[in-house]
């Protein structure tokens, strides 16, 4: 059974009105759950419409890309997932999620963030790419049948305030409040991220991707010219990132070939 939506979140969502489209309609809030992606998938299986959102104050089994877990202690972050059914948008939701988080956080707090391919949202700065800290992540999980795409669950985890990160994360993670040195309002961050996501979904559902790709490229300067180690069809390789293709694949120059990276871990060198 869901819990009542906290009044600060409800007020912030009301304040952006129609700018968040159908996202968060309806919304199911939990003080604690396993993974909001799993709960949203269960609602989607039972026919929940596009825009249905599940949000939790804490997750006991939050997960990230590549089978990793997502540290989700109570009150330290935003953990939420939305149901998307627009089939034309599906291949681009990973990129759209990263752009929406970076742009929404900036609108809500003025904190500039960047994207590391495909959708890690990291601190911006003068330090080398390998020293940027991760502030948010996006996990898109699709479900299809013989009839085609049923739904995509787009899950987002945003670190709001400092937490006792596990040892393996401590020097790679940060939070919005740590970076800004002041408190932020969770509801405003949530509402602005949903608004930014709604703005990306509308053209994507019509098959228009050029605007999203332009915004992604602007937010991900390290996807161009950075030395990376990555998985290619020919195995693990070291090369120079030369941008993304129009289908979102990372292009990496390895020797005299340009390899397409479509999955896996990319390590900035
Ligand atoms: C990543 O960077 O690896 C993606 C992290 C995604 C975490 C969010 S938190 C809300 C939603 N529920 C989950 O279990 N995962 C996503």
């Amino acid at each position: 059974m869901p819990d009542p939506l906290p009044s600060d979140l409800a007020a912030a969502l009301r304040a952006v009105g129609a700018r968040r489209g159908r996202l968060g309609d309806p919304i199911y809030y939990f003080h604690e759950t396993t993974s909001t992606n799993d709960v949203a998938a269960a609602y989607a299986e039972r026919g929940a419409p596009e825009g249905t959102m599940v949000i939790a104050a804490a997750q006991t089994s939050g997960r990230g890309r590549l089978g990793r877990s997502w540290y989700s202690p109570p009150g330290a972050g935003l953990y939420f997932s939305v149901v998307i059914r627009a089939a034309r948008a599906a291949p681009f939701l990973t990129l759209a999620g990263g752009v929406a988080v970076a742009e929404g956080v900036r609108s809500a707090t003025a904190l500039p963030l960047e994207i590391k391919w495909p959708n890690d949202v990291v601190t911006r700065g003068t330090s080398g790419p390998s020293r940027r800290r991760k502030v948010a992540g996006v996990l898109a999980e699709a479900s299809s049948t013989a009839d085609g795409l049923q739904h995509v669950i787009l899950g987002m985890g945003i670190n709001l305030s400092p937490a006792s990160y596990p040892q393996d994360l401590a020097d790679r993670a940060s939070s919005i409040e740590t970076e800004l040195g002041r408190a932020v309002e969770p509801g405003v961050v949530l509402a602005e991220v949903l608004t930014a996501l709604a703005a990306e979904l509308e053209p994507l559902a019509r098959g228009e991707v050029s605007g999203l790709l332009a915004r992604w490229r602007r937010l991900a300067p390290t996807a161009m010219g950075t030395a990376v180690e990555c998985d290619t069809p020919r195995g693990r390789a070291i090369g120079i990132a030369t941008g993304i293709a129009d289908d979102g694949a990372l292009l990496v120059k390895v020797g005299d070939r340009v390899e397409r990276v479509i999955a896996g871990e990319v390590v900035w060198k």
Side-chain angles (χ1 to χ4, degrees), residues 35-37 59 62-65 70 80-81 134 137-138 156-157:
S35 155
T36 57
N37 266 36
Q59 298 182 116
R63 63 173 179 278
R65 289 177 66 238
W70 185 260
F80 61 96
S81 306
K134 183 161 167 174
V138 177
M156 302 185 174

Side-chain angles (χ1 to χ4, degrees), residues 177-196:
E177 293 187 352
T178 306
E179 295 302 313
L180 286 173
R182 64 174 171 82
V184 297
E185 288 185 53
V188 176
V189 175
L190 175 66
E192 290 300 330
V193 170
L194 290 181
T195 297

Side-chain angles (χ1 to χ4, degrees), residues 152-259:
V152 177
I153 305 300
L154 188 61
M156 302 185 174
I158 303 174
N159 299 336
L160 290 176
S161 47
S164 315
Y165 296 110
Q167 188 68 37
D168 58 325
L169 286 183
D171 60 348
R172 290 184 292 117
S174 188
S175 72
I176 296 174
E177 293 187 352
T178 306
E179 295 302 313
L180 286 173
R182 64 174 171 82
V184 297
E185 288 185 53
V188 176
V189 175
L190 175 66
E192 290 300 330
V193 170
L194 290 181
T195 297
L197 182 60
E200 296 299 343
L201 290 178
E202 207 186 306
L204 287 182
R206 292 195 301 268
E208 293 167 22
V209 295
S210 57
L212 167 67
L213 293 174
R215 281 183 286 282
W216 191 95
R217 288 174 175 129
R218 186 169 39 78
L219 286 164
T222 51
M224 184 70 88
T226 303
V228 293
E229 183 182 323
C230 54
D231 293 319
T232 76
R234 266 163 284 275
R236 198 93 185 137
I238 293 180
I240 303 292
T242 60
I244 55 166
D246 285 356
D247 63 357
L250 181 69
L251 302 173
V252 178
K253 193 156 190 305
V254 180
D256 54 5
R257 299 184 62 94
V258 176
E259 302 281 4

Side-chain angles (χ1 to χ4, degrees), residues 30-209:
F30 295 85
H31 294 312
E32 181 180 280
T33 191
T34 50
S35 155
T36 57
N37 266 36
D38 289 344
V39 180
Y43 280 114
E45 296 294 338
R46 297 203 295 271
E50 163 127 349
T52 299
M53 179 169 132
V54 175
I55 179 164
Q59 298 182 116
T60 52
S61 318
R63 63 173 179 278
R65 289 177 66 238
L66 308 173
R68 298 189 178 123
S69 60
W70 185 260
Y71 184 58
S72 314
L78 287 169
Y79 320 115
F80 61 96
S81 306
V82 292
V83 176
I84 312 284
R85 294 192 182 274
R88 294 175 92 178
F92 300 98
L93 288 175
T94 293
L95 298 181
V99 169
V101 171
E103 292 196 334
V105 168
R106 187 166 191 157
S107 301
T109 70
L111 178 67
L113 293 170
E114 286 183 1
I115 298 173
K116 177 198 169 204
W117 186 92
N119 55 18
D120 285 356
V121 182
V122 299
T123 55
R124 202 173 80 172
T126 49
S127 59
S130 59
R131 287 207 280 280
R132 311 283 168 83
R133 285 171 182 259
K134 183 161 167 174
V135 170
V138 177
L139 179 67
E141 297 179 312
S143 167
S144 302
T145 66
D147 295 334
L149 180 84
Q150 297 303 303
H151 60 255
V152 177
I153 305 300
L154 188 61
M156 302 185 174
I158 303 174
N159 299 336
L160 290 176
S161 47
S164 315
Y165 296 110
Q167 188 68 37
D168 58 325
L169 286 183
D171 60 348
R172 290 184 292 117
S174 188
S175 72
I176 296 174
E177 293 187 352
T178 306
E179 295 302 313
L180 286 173
R182 64 174 171 82
V184 297
E185 288 185 53
V188 176
V189 175
L190 175 66
E192 290 300 330
V193 170
L194 290 181
T195 297
L197 182 60
E200 296 299 343
L201 290 178
E202 207 186 306
L204 287 182
R206 292 195 301 268
E208 293 167 22
V209 295

